[in-house]
Amino acid sequence: KMTDLKPEEVMSIATHFMLSAPAGEFNEVLTDVRALVNNDKLLNSCALNCLHEINTNQFLVAKVPGEKHNALVTPYNEVDPTHYLDTRTDQVLEFSHIKQAFTGDSIANSAKKSDLEKTRVEIEAKVAEYVSEHFFSGDSA
């Protein structure tokens, strides 16, 4: 029985189930795990960490507020667990892992200009061109 386990063991099992959820099925798995664990306080504490890991590992795409483009949520543009760099606008945006959306709050410019910026812009333009030519509703970020 789950009630016979220590809280750390319950969190470990719940985390394993949630991180093993197929892409796009996290909410369904969370609902099932919630019924098994029957302790929302305990479950909520590990669910947010799981969402962060899932969103970043699956390179989640989200609309940038006030812009016509999307941005990726990845380990490579992560500033901290709730802030991500949008390379197109050079802004660090707040991201809600629960809502799976950027909130629109920008904490600052990244101030991360480099010699590679010109190359990045050229690659971005070519990728966007390729995607628009070959995919009906595709997008690149």
Side-chain angles (χ1 to χ4, degrees):
K1 287 172 89 173
M2 290 293 259
T3 55
D4 296 339
L5 299 174
K6 295 177 186 174
E8 299 83 28
E9 294 172 314
V10 172
M11 284 183 65
S12 176
I13 294 168
T15 298
H16 174 74
F17 282 142
M18 288 185 283
L19 291 178
S20 299
E25 300 292 323
F26 179 83
N27 289 335
E28 289 77 3
V29 172
L30 179 62
T31 300
D32 293 342
V33 170
R34 176 171 277 123
L36 291 171
V37 171
N38 199 24
N39 182 339
D40 280 349
K41 184 177 179 183
L42 188 64
L43 185 62
N44 289 341
S45 67
C46 68
L48 187 56
N49 290 333
C50 290
L51 274 172
H52 168 261
E53 189 170 333
I54 288 169
N55 290 341
T56 56
N57 288 345
Q58 293 182 359
F59 286 32
L60 186 74
V61 177
K63 176 86 174 95
V64 176
E67 300 289 337
K68 294 181 179 180
H69 67 272
N70 293 325
L72 293 172
V73 175
T74 77
Y76 305 105
N77 67 328
E78 182 177 299
V79 175
D80 63 47
T82 59
H83 293 92
Y84 295 84
L85 173 65
D86 172 21
T87 56
R88 290 185 185 176
T89 62
D90 198 34
Q91 296 287 310
V92 177
L93 302 171
E94 186 173 11
F95 184 78
S96 168
H97 289 283
I98 294 171
K99 295 178 182 179
Q100 294 187 326
F102 290 105
T103 64
D105 297 331
S106 172
I107 60 170
N109 286 350
S110 72
K112 188 179 172 185
K113 296 291 182 189
S114 74
D115 297 334
L116 296 176
E117 180 63 13
K118 180 180 177 194
T119 303
R120 188 202 63 76
V121 169
E122 290 171 358
I123 291 170
E124 180 181 301
K126 291 295 183 183
V127 168
E129 179 182 332
Y130 177 85
V131 169
S132 69
E133 289 176 2
H134 293 88
F135 299 95
F136 175 71
S137 62
D139 194 10
S140 62

